[in-house]
């Protein structure tokens, strides 16, 4: 999801491209710009990670700290959503429909989400202290728009990355910029998923 | 060894059986060994497959169990939250649930989070035995294998990931590989299952289905083998075929099959076979011995019968027991025995029996005699028929033969256990009286004479046959058959001469000289060879000076001895009875000569000497009658000279015969008068015509007055009785002159002529006539 923040003059766009070491475009990689100093606006629109067709959608979600995320269950049966990640440990026990209240991700870091009754269901939430972030599409492209000019730390993240990539400083001006990054990731472990029956269970 | 048929049969039978059985045993043993070997290989291969499958199956079950455990929410929560006490508690609990002896939780980075094994295990220490399993699991998502743990025990370990939902840890579940494990697998695979660890220090047994002593022996044996060289392994005294299944770098499973156990059922079979073979050989040996006996016994019996026949015993029949080939052979053999026996009987009969009378012959007699023991005693009696030769010559040989047969029949009754009756030859019979003494022999001789006293009747003709017997007693008179026979014969001749029926060898005197014996023997042959011939000595009529008569004198021109004078053989011819064959020949010859002389105009009265035997021969009269008849002899044409002694043997019969002879017109002359005891008174009762004064009186009559007186008176008396007188042996002219002067009628002797062959007579007569005329 692309966040467009309007405001001061001289706001710039940044175009990011992430590839695997082989040169293949890498999807689901997060690109984050953290301002080196000064405050930043907090915009907390509710984000949704749905459970549909016994999958968590989307696979990767990037949010700013303190963003509440809703986990609506669109399947006709219950799910048991959990996270043992230290960044945000929670458990929504067997439920159907939409839980009573969304989960607020109040610490930066990564969170792995799973379903206790469907082992193959997994999703990742990357919580960052910045409103300026984006996620690569299937072509490995991501765009962050309307970033105010200034000094930022450029950070990269992927849920299956083998090593964390260290952040680097970047100056944002009025002119659009483009950055590229190579990320080495493990292949996704495809856990066996039984095909849905006639009632889609 | 194989000379006996029976042994050969047994050896061949049993040998063949043993050969067949040995081949069979060898075949069975070989194929058993092959079957055992193949079977062991098959069992090992199958066992190995089963074993491998079981291990895999085990592994999958363990994985499943581990996977289920790894999905447990609380477990995952405990791991994710790094709650170590909880994690340990969980793995202990879950270990119990699935029966795992070892459980560990390992961080994805390879360090140990928690272990059920050792509570003091420092966290973060690397697990070297698992590093390879871990890397394999990272690639494949899971892994499993056998690893020896720190406690020295071997574990089957599975390693599965724990996702929450990303990989947060590995859980390792270990099942101990112990004897029980090996035993369970052993039961399923049917093989001995042992787990062997080969480290740098040597080999050790980690687990085995073998127990106690065997297990100890295995651990000793296993040091010798290498993992990549399976094959046969000796454990104690048992042999095991072994295959290896590797469980890890230094660990392998030895799957083993006992060769002895695999062989056991075949051993039973082989033992049974051996029993059958041995029993078979014994049964066969007994059977073939019995069969061979059945075959050989009749053959042996046949051989025994053959030996008996060979030895001349034909009496016992050949045993006939079966109808098979040997039985047929025995039957033929028996037939052969009968025929040979019959033929031998016939041959014996021919050899030992006189064909005419059926009595034993000389050969048989001698054999019987030789069979007597040296200490035995008895008598040999030789019997010669009296008057047989005249019968034979008068009635012909066929009649003579029939008479002999009849006599043989009669004598046969004297045959008994102790007495043997045989015929020696011609009319001579022999008797062997075993255990007889002189008295017994005498009694026997008497009864024999009695038996012959009854006349024989042939074709209505009555024939009287007398016999003379000679007895030789053994061992007194001799010990061998030849001597005894000879002495008995001599005794017999003596009896004949004495006109007694029996004489004993002891009294008959010694044997004649050898030459005489041989002459006696040769006389019969001489007759056949015409070695006898007649010389004629003229008798001079002293009154007329004419030769009017001749005396036929027999000579024997012997091929080796030359001329044998009558004095050398006539006595024996008389003794042996041969004279009875000789006299008829002389008569025939003289009569024939008389006819020839007549043809040339010579008229002489020939004189023939008759012996006592001749004179007493009952057939003499018939013979003379036939002779006179056949040659139409006139009365007085033939003269018979008879000695005094001949007359004295049987005076009555002699007289009777002389009367008959005189009646036939024969001139009868008394020979050798003066040497015997006959008186002129007796002589004058005889129908004789002439008297020949013995030469001993005539010789020197001219010079001896005494002789002259006897001769002169004898001549006177003879003339008074109407007898003519012949002076014998007149050798000198004086003697002849004396005889002429004393009115002797005839003279004979060298002074007139010596005996001359018949063909010289006419020439001599002519010459004598001429001389007389010349002298006159």
């Amino acid at each position: 999801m692309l966040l467009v923040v309007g405001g001061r003059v001289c706001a710039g766009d940044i175009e990011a491209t992430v590839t695997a070491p082989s040169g293949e475009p890498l999807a689901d990689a997060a690109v984050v710009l953290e301002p080196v100093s000064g405050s930043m606006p907090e915009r907390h629109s509710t984000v949704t990670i749905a459970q549909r067709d016994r999958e968590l959608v989307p696979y990767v979600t990037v949010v700013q700290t303190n963003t509440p995320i809703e986990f609506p269950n669109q399947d006709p049966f219950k799910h048991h959503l959990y996270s043992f990640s230290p960044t945000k440990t929670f458990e929504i026990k067997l439920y159907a429909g939409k839980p009573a209240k969304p989960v607020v991700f109040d610490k930066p870091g990564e969170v792995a989400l799973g379903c206790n009754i469907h082992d193959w269901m997994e999703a990742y939430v990357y919580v960052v202290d910045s409103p300026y972030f984006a996620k690569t599409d299937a072509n490995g492209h991501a765009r962050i728009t309307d970033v105010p000019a200034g000094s930022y730390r450029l950070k990269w993240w992927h849920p299956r990355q083998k090593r964390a990539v260290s952040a680097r400083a970047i100056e944002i001006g009025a002119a659009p910029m483009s950055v590229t990054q190579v990320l080495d990731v493990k292949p996704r472990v495809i856990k066996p998923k039984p095909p849905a029956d006639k009632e889609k269970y | 060894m194989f000379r006996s048929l029976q042994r050969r049969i047994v050896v061949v039978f049993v040998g063949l059986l043993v050969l067949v059985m040995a081949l069979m045993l060898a075949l069975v043993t070989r194929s058993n060994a092959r079957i055992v070997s193949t079977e062991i290989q098959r069992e090992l291969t199958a066992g190995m497959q089963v074993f491998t499958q079981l291990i895999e199956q085990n592994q999958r079950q363990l994985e499943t169990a581990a996977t289920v455990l790894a999905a447990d929410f609380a477990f995952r929560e405990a791991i994710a939250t790094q709650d170590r006490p909880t994690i340990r508690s969980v793995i202990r609990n879950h270990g119990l649930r699935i029966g795992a002896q070892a459980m560990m939780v390992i961080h994805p980075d390879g360090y140990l989070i928690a272990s059920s094994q050792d509570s003091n295990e420092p966290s973060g220490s690397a697990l070297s035995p698992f590093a390879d399993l871990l890397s394999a699991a990272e690639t494949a998502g899971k892994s499993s294998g056998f690893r020896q743990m720190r406690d020295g025990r071997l574990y089957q370990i599975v390693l599965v990931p724990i996702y929450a939902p990303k990989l947060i840890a590995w859980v390792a579940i270990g099942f101990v590989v112990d004897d029980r494990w090996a035993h369970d697998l052993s039961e399923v695979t049917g093989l001995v299952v042992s787990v062997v660890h080969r480290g740098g220090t040597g080999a050790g047994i980690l687990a085995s289905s073998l127990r106690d002593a065997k297990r100890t022996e295995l651990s000793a044996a296993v040091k010798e083998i290498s993992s990549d060289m399976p094959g046969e392994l000796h454990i104690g005294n048992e042999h095991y075929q072994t295959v290896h299944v590797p469980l890890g770098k230094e660990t392998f499973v030895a799957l083993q099959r006992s060769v002895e156990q695999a062989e056991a059922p075949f051993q039973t079979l082989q033992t049974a076979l051996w029993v059958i073979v041995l029993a078979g050989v014994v049964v066969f040996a007994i059977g073939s011995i019995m069969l061979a006996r059945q075959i050989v016994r009749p053959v042996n019996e046949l051989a025994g019968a053959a030996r008996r026949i060979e030895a001349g015993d034909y009496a016992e029949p050949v045993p006939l027991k079966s109808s098979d080939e040997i039985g047929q052979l025995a039957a033929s053999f028996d037939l052969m025995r009968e025929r040979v026996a019959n033929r031998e009987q016939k041959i014996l009969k021919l050899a030992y029996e006189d064909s005419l009378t059926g009595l034993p012959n000389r050969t048989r007699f001698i054999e019987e005699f030789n069979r007597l023991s040296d200490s035995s005693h008895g008598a040999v009696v030789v019997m010669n028929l009296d008057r047989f030769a005249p019968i034979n010559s008068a009635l012909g040989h066929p009649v003579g033969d029939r008479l002999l047969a009849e006599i043989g029949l009669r004598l046969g009754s004297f045959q008994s256990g102790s007495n043997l009756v045989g015929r020696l030859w011609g009319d001579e019979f022999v008797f062997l009286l075993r255990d007889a003494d002189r008295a017994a022999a005498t009694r026997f001789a008497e009864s024999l004479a009695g038996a012959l006293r009854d006349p024989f009747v042939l074709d209505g003709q009555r024939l009287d046959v007398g016999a003379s017997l000679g007895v030789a007693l053994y061992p007194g008179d001799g010990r061998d058959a030849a001597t005894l026979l000879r002495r008995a014969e001599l005794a017999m001749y003596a009896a004949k001469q004495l006109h007694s029926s029996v004489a004993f060898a002891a009294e008959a005197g010694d044997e004649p000289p050898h030459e005489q014996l041989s002459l006696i023997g040769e006389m019969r042959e001489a007759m056949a060879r015409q070695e006898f011939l007649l010389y004629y000595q003229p008798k001079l009529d002293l009154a007329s000076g004419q030769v009017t008569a001749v005396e036929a004198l027999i000579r024997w021109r012997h091929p080796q001895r030359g001329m044998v004078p009558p004095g050398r053989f006539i006595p024996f011819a008389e003794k042996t009875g041969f004279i009875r064959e000789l006299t008829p020949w002389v008569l025939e010859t003289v009569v024939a000569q008389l006819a020839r002389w007549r043809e040339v105009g010579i008229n002489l009265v020939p004189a023939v000497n008759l012996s006592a035997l001749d004179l007493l021969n009952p057939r003499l009269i018939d013979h003379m009658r036939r002779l006179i008849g056949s040659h139409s002899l006139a009365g007085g044409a033939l003269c018979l000279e008879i000695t005094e002694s001949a007359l004295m043997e049987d005076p009555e019969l002699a007289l009777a015969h002389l009367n008959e002879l005189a009646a036939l017109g024969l001139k009868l002359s008394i020979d050798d008068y003066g040497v015997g005891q006959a008186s002129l008174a007796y002589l004058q009762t005889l129908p004789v015509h002439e008297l020949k004064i013995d030469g001993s009186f005539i010789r020197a009559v001219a010079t001896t007055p005494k002789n002259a007186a006897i001769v002169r008176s004898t001549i006177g008396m003879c003339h008074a009785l109407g007898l003519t007188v012949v002076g014998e042996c007149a050798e000198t002219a004086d003697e002849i002159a004396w005889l002429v002067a004393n009115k002797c009628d005839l003279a004979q002797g060298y002074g007139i002529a010596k005996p001359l062959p018949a063909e010289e007579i006419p020439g001599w007569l002519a010459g004598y006539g001429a001389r007389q005329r010349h002298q006159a």
Side-chain angles (χ1 to χ4, degrees):
Chain A
M1 184 176 283
L2 189 66
L3 296 174
V4 180
V5 181
R8 294 180 301 190
V9 291
C10 296
D13 290 355
I14 187 158
E15 193 78 31
T17 305
V18 180
T19 62
S22 60
E24 299 263 318
L26 187 67
D28 293 327
V31 188
V32 181
L33 288 172
E34 274 182 2
V36 175
S37 61
S39 62
M40 65 199 104
E42 282 197 32
R43 284 168 285 182
H44 301 293
S45 58
T46 302
V47 177
T48 299
I49 299 174
Q51 289 128 74
R52 191 191 311 142
D53 290 336
R54 296 171 293 158
E55 292 287 355
L56 284 164
V57 183
Y59 176 61
V60 172
T61 304
V62 187
V63 293
Q64 191 175 7
T65 313
N66 290 323
T67 303
I69 299 178
E70 288 196 323
F71 299 97
N73 181 359
Q74 293 167 8
D75 283 325
F77 42 79
K78 291 180 177 174
H79 287 286
H80 177 178
L81 201 65
Y82 70 88
S83 160
F84 298 135
S85 303
T87 305
K88 185 64 188 179
T89 303
F90 70 95
E91 186 179 355
I92 308 170
K93 288 189 177 162
L94 293 170
Y95 71 98
K98 196 193 261 183
K101 51 180 181 182
V103 178
V104 177
F105 289 75
D106 48 2
K107 278 191 281 183
E110 59 175 86
V111 177
L113 299 174
C115 173
N116 192 30
I117 48 179
H118 304 104
D119 286 351
W120 62 88
M121 287 170 68
E122 62 178 314
Y124 295 90
V125 179
Y126 191 46
V127 185
V128 295
D129 286 329
S130 167
Y132 314 112
F133 52 82
K135 189 179 75 173
T136 56
D137 59 14
N139 296 320
H141 297 299
R143 176 189 284 266
I144 307 171
T145 53
D146 294 328
V147 182
S151 298
Y152 292 85
R153 278 191 296 272
L154 177 62
K155 292 170 79 174
W156 307 86
W157 178 87
H158 191 275
R160 301 194 304 276
Q161 66 184 22
K162 285 180 180 170
R163 288 171 299 277
V165 179
S166 52
R168 61 177 162 112
I170 186 169
E171 290 296 322
I172 301 294
M177 286 178 64
S178 59
V179 290
T180 59
Q181 179 62 41
V182 174
L183 278 179
D184 190 5
V185 298
K186 292 182 228 175
R188 183 172 174 178
V189 178
I190 306 301
K191 295 170 188 166
K193 176 186 177 183
D197 60 13
K198 280 184 281 185
E199 279 93 34
K200 300 196 173 185
Y201 293 112
Chain B
M1 173 177 184
F2 298 114
R3 273 186 26 213
S4 124
L5 179 61
Q6 179 177 338
R7 205 170 293 172
R8 212 153 44 200
I9 289 170
V10 173
V11 166
V12 166
F13 269 60
V14 176
L16 282 177
L17 180 76
V18 167
L19 185 70
V20 169
M21 289 294 195
L23 284 175
M24 192 184 75
L25 264 180
L27 192 69
V28 167
T29 308
R30 265 192 64 171
S31 64
N32 278 359
R34 216 170 24 234
I35 288 170
V36 167
S37 162
T38 313
E39 185 62 16
I40 289 175
Q41 282 309 318
R42 196 191 61 74
E43 282 179 34
L44 283 175
T45 311
M48 193 159 76
Q49 278 175 357
V50 169
F51 179 82
T52 315
Q53 277 174 5
L54 279 174
I55 295 293
E56 281 172 9
Q57 201 176 314
N58 257 1
Q59 187 177 304
R60 272 195 297 279
Q61 280 174 355
L62 293 179
E63 280 169 7
T64 306
T67 308
V68 169
L69 175 65
D72 185 87
F73 187 72
F75 184 48
R76 285 193 290 184
E77 185 177 20
I79 292 168
T81 55
Q82 301 282 305
D83 182 353
R84 234 170 247 272
T86 308
I87 293 170
R88 288 198 57 173
S89 183
V90 166
I91 58 177
R92 290 176 80 95
N93 177 60
H94 283 65
L96 268 180
R97 266 193 208 167
I98 58 171
Q101 286 82 15
M103 287 196 66
M104 289 170 207
V105 179
I106 301 152
H107 194 270
D109 292 344
Y111 59 85
L112 192 66
I113 298 170
S115 168
S116 66
Q117 287 268 303
D118 186 1
S119 56
N120 299 325
E121 185 71 36
S123 62
S125 64
L127 289 169
S128 57
F130 286 33
D132 53 341
L133 284 182
L134 209 55
S135 65
E138 276 164 4
T139 319
K142 61 187 176 187
S143 69
S144 61
F146 289 83
R147 290 296 181 273
Q148 210 173 352
M149 302 259 267
R150 249 174 248 277
D151 60 0
R153 300 207 287 173
L154 186 73
Y155 290 83
Q156 185 176 14
I157 291 166
V158 292
L159 208 57
V160 293
I162 300 173
Y163 293 108
K166 67 183 287 185
L167 178 72
I168 54 170
W170 296 98
V171 63
I173 305 179
F175 292 83
V176 73
V177 171
D178 56 5
D179 289 354
R180 186 190 179 82
W181 177 88
H183 188 72
D184 289 348
L185 282 170
S186 170
E187 291 212 323
V188 179
T189 57
L191 302 171
V192 173
V193 177
S194 303
V195 184
V196 183
H197 172 80
R198 287 176 62 87
T201 53
I205 304 298
L206 297 176
S208 176
S209 61
L210 287 175
R211 304 219 184 279
D212 309 328
K214 280 258 182 279
R215 191 191 163 107
T216 317
E217 285 164 356
L218 172 66
S219 56
V222 90
K223 289 189 174 71
E224 311 296 325
I225 61 160
S226 64
S227 61
D228 44 35
M229 269 186 67
E232 197 168 276
L233 191 64
H234 295 248
I235 301 176
N237 50 5
E238 265 193 280
H239 298 73
Y240 286 86
Q241 279 293 337
T242 307
V243 287
H244 293 161
V245 180
L247 286 184
K249 268 192 295 188
E250 294 174 330
T251 313
F252 62 89
V253 171
L255 298 174
Q256 295 177 310
R257 178 75 173 102
S258 164
V259 176
E260 278 77 6
Q261 275 174 28
E263 279 174 349
F266 293 101
Q267 285 294 345
T268 318
L269 173 69
Q270 253 161 288
T271 309
L273 263 178
W274 269 106
V275 169
I276 289 169
V277 166
L278 291 178
V281 166
V282 168
V283 167
F284 236 70
I286 292 169
S288 56
I289 285 170
M290 281 165 67
L291 177 68
R293 275 206 190 139
Q294 261 179 11
I295 293 171
V296 169
R297 191 188 298 127
V299 171
N300 282 342
E301 281 171 356
L302 270 185
R307 276 193 294 276
R308 279 200 302 278
I309 290 170
E310 184 189 302
D313 173 14
Y314 300 100
E316 198 172 326
V318 177
L320 294 172
K321 281 178 184 161
S322 59
S323 56
D324 56 14
E325 290 85 342
I326 291 172
Q328 289 164 21
L329 175 64
S332 314
F333 202 67
D334 197 44
L335 201 61
M336 189 179 89
R337 175 193 63 83
E338 280 176 17
R339 301 227 166 128
V340 169
N342 283 343
R343 274 199 288 275
E344 199 180 83
Q345 205 69 44
K346 273 185 203 163
I347 290 166
L348 278 179
K349 218 169 159 166
L350 286 175
Y352 290 112
E353 205 179 280
D354 172 49
S355 56
L356 188 63
T357 59
L359 292 173
N361 62 10
R362 186 189 185 91
T363 314
R364 170 82 189 284
F365 171 82
I366 291 172
E367 278 200 5
E368 284 290 327
F369 182 86
N370 289 343
R371 227 168 270 165
L372 295 172
S373 72
D374 289 344
S375 59
S376 64
H377 71 277
V380 172
V381 180
V382 168
M383 184 186 89
N384 189 276
L385 298 178
D386 295 337
R387 300 186 284 279
F388 177 73
I391 292 172
N392 213 11
S393 48
L395 301 180
H397 284 289
V399 176
D401 284 351
R402 278 171 61 200
L403 177 62
L404 284 174
E406 288 291 322
I407 290 168
L409 210 61
R410 212 174 274 188
L411 294 180
S413 64
F414 288 88
Q415 191 100 258
S416 71
S418 57
N419 297 346
L420 179 81
V421 180
R423 182 180 170 222
L424 289 179
W425 60 61
D427 57 346
E428 205 158 302
F429 294 85
V430 69
F431 304 86
L432 176 65
L433 310 178
R434 299 182 185 90
D435 305 322
D437 54 10
R438 190 185 167 105
T442 310
R443 280 196 302 279
F444 180 81
E446 279 165 4
S447 60
L448 204 58
L452 291 177
R453 206 162 291 143
D454 293 338
F456 292 90
V457 180
L458 288 179
D459 300 336
Q461 202 169 359
R462 196 187 139 109
L463 295 172
D464 283 300
V465 177
S468 304
L469 282 80
V471 181
L473 294 168
Y474 60 89
D477 294 331
R479 289 178 176 276
D480 61 296
T483 306
L484 285 167
L485 277 175
R486 198 164 60 236
R487 295 206 61 185
E489 274 185 331
L490 286 171
M492 183 267 290
Y493 293 139
K496 247 187 217 303
Q497 228 161 8
L498 297 170
H499 290 279
S500 96
S501 63
V502 59
F504 284 86
E507 284 128 41
D510 283 337
E511 299 172 51
H514 175 76
E515 187 192 63
Q516 287 179 359
L517 280 175
S518 74
L519 281 176
I520 293 167
E522 288 175 66
M523 276 192 295
R524 275 167 212 279
E525 293 170 28
M527 183 82 157
R529 289 202 297 260
Q530 297 184 327
E531 287 170 13
F532 291 114
L533 58 151
L534 293 178
Y535 275 38
Y536 297 89
Q537 189 168 37
K539 289 181 184 174
L540 179 69
D541 188 311
L542 297 171
S544 63
Q546 298 290 312
V547 172
T548 57
V550 286
E551 183 183 358
L553 293 165
I554 194 159
R555 293 287 183 276
W556 183 358
R557 191 188 282 139
H558 192 279
Q560 280 90 40
R561 299 171 207 265
M563 276 305 175
V564 181
R568 295 272 298 281
F569 65 93
I570 288 299
F572 300 108
E574 286 176 345
K575 274 187 183 176
T576 60
F578 179 65
I579 195 75
R580 283 177 298 195
E581 292 172 45
L582 203 54
T583 305
W585 174 81
V586 173
L587 284 168
E588 289 286 346
T589 311
V590 167
V591 171
Q593 189 58 50
L594 183 61
R596 277 199 290 279
W597 280 332
R598 284 220 179 119
E599 280 170 21
V600 295
I602 297 167
N603 278 306
L604 294 169
V605 176
V608 173
N609 290 286
L610 282 192
S611 73
L613 276 176
D614 295 327
L615 183 61
L616 300 177
N617 189 338
R619 291 162 60 191
L620 173 72
I621 312 303
D622 291 336
H623 188 84
M624 294 311 293
R625 189 181 288 129
R626 222 171 20 250
L627 193 69
I628 291 164
S630 62
H631 290 87
S632 312
L633 295 178
L638 186 63
C639 176
L640 297 176
E641 295 186 8
I642 301 136
T643 60
E644 267 183 281
S645 60
L647 287 170
M648 298 316 290
E649 281 193 19
D650 189 345
E652 281 178 38
L653 188 60
L655 177 59
H657 282 173
L658 286 180
N659 281 329
E660 291 196 52
L661 292 170
L664 287 172
L666 290 164
K667 192 177 174 185
L668 300 175
S669 175
I670 299 298
D671 205 1
D672 299 337
Y673 177 75
V675 293
Q677 290 89 40
S679 64
L680 267 176
Y682 168 69
L683 288 180
Q684 64 93 28
T685 64
L686 300 176
V688 296
H689 309 95
E690 190 181 78
L691 192 113
K692 292 180 85 174
I693 298 171
D694 192 73
S696 56
F697 294 103
I698 302 301
R699 220 170 284 133
V701 74
T703 54
T704 313
K706 197 176 180 181
N707 274 4
I710 293 169
V711 173
R712 197 181 298 122
S713 66
T714 303
I715 292 168
M717 278 192 283
C718 283
H719 283 165
L721 292 170
L723 298 173
T724 51
V725 179
V726 180
E728 291 184 274
C729 301
E731 292 181 353
T732 64
D734 289 347
E735 284 163 11
I736 294 166
W738 190 91
L739 286 173
V740 171
N742 285 281
K743 305 263 194 300
C744 188
D745 302 299
L746 294 153
Q748 181 185 351
Y750 276 36
I752 299 151
K754 62 176 184 178
L756 298 166
E759 56 274 18
E760 289 180 22
I761 291 292
W764 179 84
L765 281 176
Y768 185 76
R771 277 198 302 281
Q772 293 299 310
R773 277 190 297 276
H774 181 69
Q775 280 174 11

